[in-house]
Amino acid sequence: MQIIKTIELMQEVSEKWRMDGNIISFVPTMGFLHQGHIELLRVGREKGDRLIMSIFVNPTQFGPKEDYEKYPRDTGGDLNNARSAGVDAVFMPTVEEMYPEGFQSTVRLEEITQHLCGKSRPGHFAGVTIVVGKLFNITKPHLAIFGEKDYQQLIVIKQMVKDLNMGIEVIGVPTVREKDGLAMSSRNNYLSSEERASALSLKKGLDLARDMVAKGERNPAKIKNAVMELILNHPFTEIDYIALCNPEKLTDIKRVDRPCLLALAVRVGNTRLIDNVILREN
Ligand code: PAF
């Protein structure tokens, strides 16, 4: 497995792999890998001839009061996991390599970034799109693999790839959960054991909504209220948003009469967690 730190070398290696006729899969990460990432790597390995993973904690997608400085890091463990998952190259640049003095470009999506996390984390998606756009230009993949837990991120990237004619197939992979249902996330590491118990309220909320819809409830307000009540009955929880929306546009819906997205962002203590499910009528 090659460990590559410069943009120039990564581009050279990818270009050579392409010229040799390989399909390149790419899994971008911020490191501190968990089973969710391992699943993305598994899919990437299965679908491509060469698998590239990046590790880069991207400063431009964190707000000034967010957890950039304390974001968990474990390069040694990540490299071991990458090796076991059959990664061919890990791209791990420095911040200076990615954003040299004088850097000034942005990639901005106008609509789907205005909802959900885009509302509560202003500037977050501009940070995600610029870094992912750069990573795509550097690793030159045919396929890029993202988790469905970050549902909005997934559709923002799909839209960017379409709008900018990047010619990359973006693949979404279902959320991997702990045995008790908690969605895997590097940020779960911040939770105390009491907070960890309360964090289960997100999955319980999604399950409750699914049951309500299965039993015939079609009123978004009633579903959202029931989910809110369930979550707030758990200690340390504070709701950032509960949205029932159109899964492509992320705009609020008036009635659950077609597949819709239930997306949650909840603070548990100081940790902000997200989760989602697609609700269907049957
Ligand atoms: O999902 C993540 O870990 C990050 O947002 C990504 C896609 C690696 C961009 O920094």
Side-chain angles (χ1 to χ4, degrees), residues 4-17 24 52-53 89-92 135 138-140:
I4 298 178
K5 297 196 172 162
T6 68
I7 293 172
E8 196 183 346
L9 180 59
M10 186 70 253
Q11 285 179 318
E12 208 178 292
V13 168
S14 297
E15 196 52 46
K16 165 118 188 18
W17 283 344
I24 301 180
I52 303 175
M53 176 181 97
V90 176
F91 177 56
M92 34 186 303
L135 289 168
I138 296 165
T139 59
K140 305 174 189 271

Side-chain angles (χ1 to χ4, degrees), residues 28-30 37 54 56 58 61 71 124 127-128 131-132 135 146 150 153 157:
T29 82
M30 298 206 297
H37 295 110
S54 62
F56 181 62
N58 172 37
Q61 69 188 75
Y71 197 83
H124 169 68
V128 170
V131 81
V132 173
L135 289 168
F146 291 82
D150 295 294
Q153 169 170 281
I157 300 299

Side-chain angles (χ1 to χ4, degrees), residues 16-86:
K16 165 118 188 18
W17 283 344
R18 275 189 166 249
M19 297 293 280
D20 290 346
N22 293 296
I23 298 293
I24 301 180
S25 298
F26 174 50
V27 177
T29 82
M30 298 206 297
F32 208 72
L33 303 191
H34 49 68
Q35 280 309 312
H37 295 110
I38 304 298
E39 177 61 7
L40 303 183
L41 294 173
R42 189 192 63 73
V43 173
R45 180 71 280 166
E46 189 182 279
K47 292 192 180 287
D49 305 310
R50 290 283 182 268
L51 175 58
I52 303 175
M53 176 181 97
S54 62
I55 302 177
F56 181 62
V57 184
N58 172 37
T60 64
Q61 69 188 75
F62 290 81
K65 293 195 183 124
E66 293 185 351
D67 54 342
Y68 174 65
E69 294 298 342
K70 70 165 193 167
Y71 197 83
R73 289 160 168 89
D74 175 17
T75 309
D78 290 343
L79 294 177
N80 285 338
N81 279 319
R83 238 175 245 113
S84 315

Side-chain angles (χ1 to χ4, degrees), residues 81-240:
N81 279 319
R83 238 175 245 113
S84 315
V87 170
D88 294 295
V90 176
F91 177 56
M92 34 186 303
T94 59
V95 172
E96 294 70 34
E97 179 76 1
M98 289 295 276
Y99 299 113
E101 182 103 11
F103 186 90
Q104 50 189 290
S105 297
T106 52
V107 179
R108 211 164 71 112
L109 277 73
E110 299 289 343
E111 286 169 27
I112 46 175
T113 57
Q114 302 305 309
H115 309 283
L116 311 183
C117 292
K119 249 191 210 156
S120 33
R121 302 183 70 188
H124 169 68
F125 285 113
V128 170
T129 45
I130 191 63
V131 81
V132 173
K134 278 174 70 74
L135 289 168
F136 284 173
N137 286 337
I138 296 165
T139 59
K140 305 174 189 271
H142 298 87
L143 313 168
I145 329 286
F146 291 82
E148 287 176 357
K149 183 177 80 73
D150 295 294
Y151 182 93
Q152 188 173 16
Q153 169 170 281
L154 172 64
I155 66 164
V156 164
I157 300 299
K158 282 189 175 169
Q159 187 69 43
M160 173 181 79
V161 163
K162 183 170 173 223
D163 289 351
L164 301 184
N165 310 102
M166 289 174 149
I168 296 168
E169 186 186 345
V170 178
I171 298 169
V173 173
T175 303
V176 177
R177 298 180 179 280
E178 304 276 2
K179 276 206 184 80
D180 58 8
L182 181 66
M184 300 260 181
S185 162
S186 303
R187 289 189 169 103
N188 292 348
N189 191 51
Y190 298 147
L191 299 167
S192 69
S193 58
E194 293 86 357
E195 289 168 348
R196 169 77 181 63
S198 282
L200 284 181
S201 61
L202 279 85
K203 176 65 164 66
K204 289 182 193 161
L206 299 179
D207 290 346
L208 172 65
R210 203 172 7 211
D211 287 350
M212 289 176 78
V213 172
K215 286 184 185 135
E217 185 56 68
R218 297 285 174 262
N219 182 329
K222 283 195 181 155
I223 298 170
K224 286 199 277 187
N225 281 337
V227 172
M228 181 166 73
E229 203 181 309
L230 182 150
I231 292 173
L232 292 178
N233 267 330
H234 291 71
F236 316 111
T237 55
E238 188 191 322
I239 290 175
D240 179 352

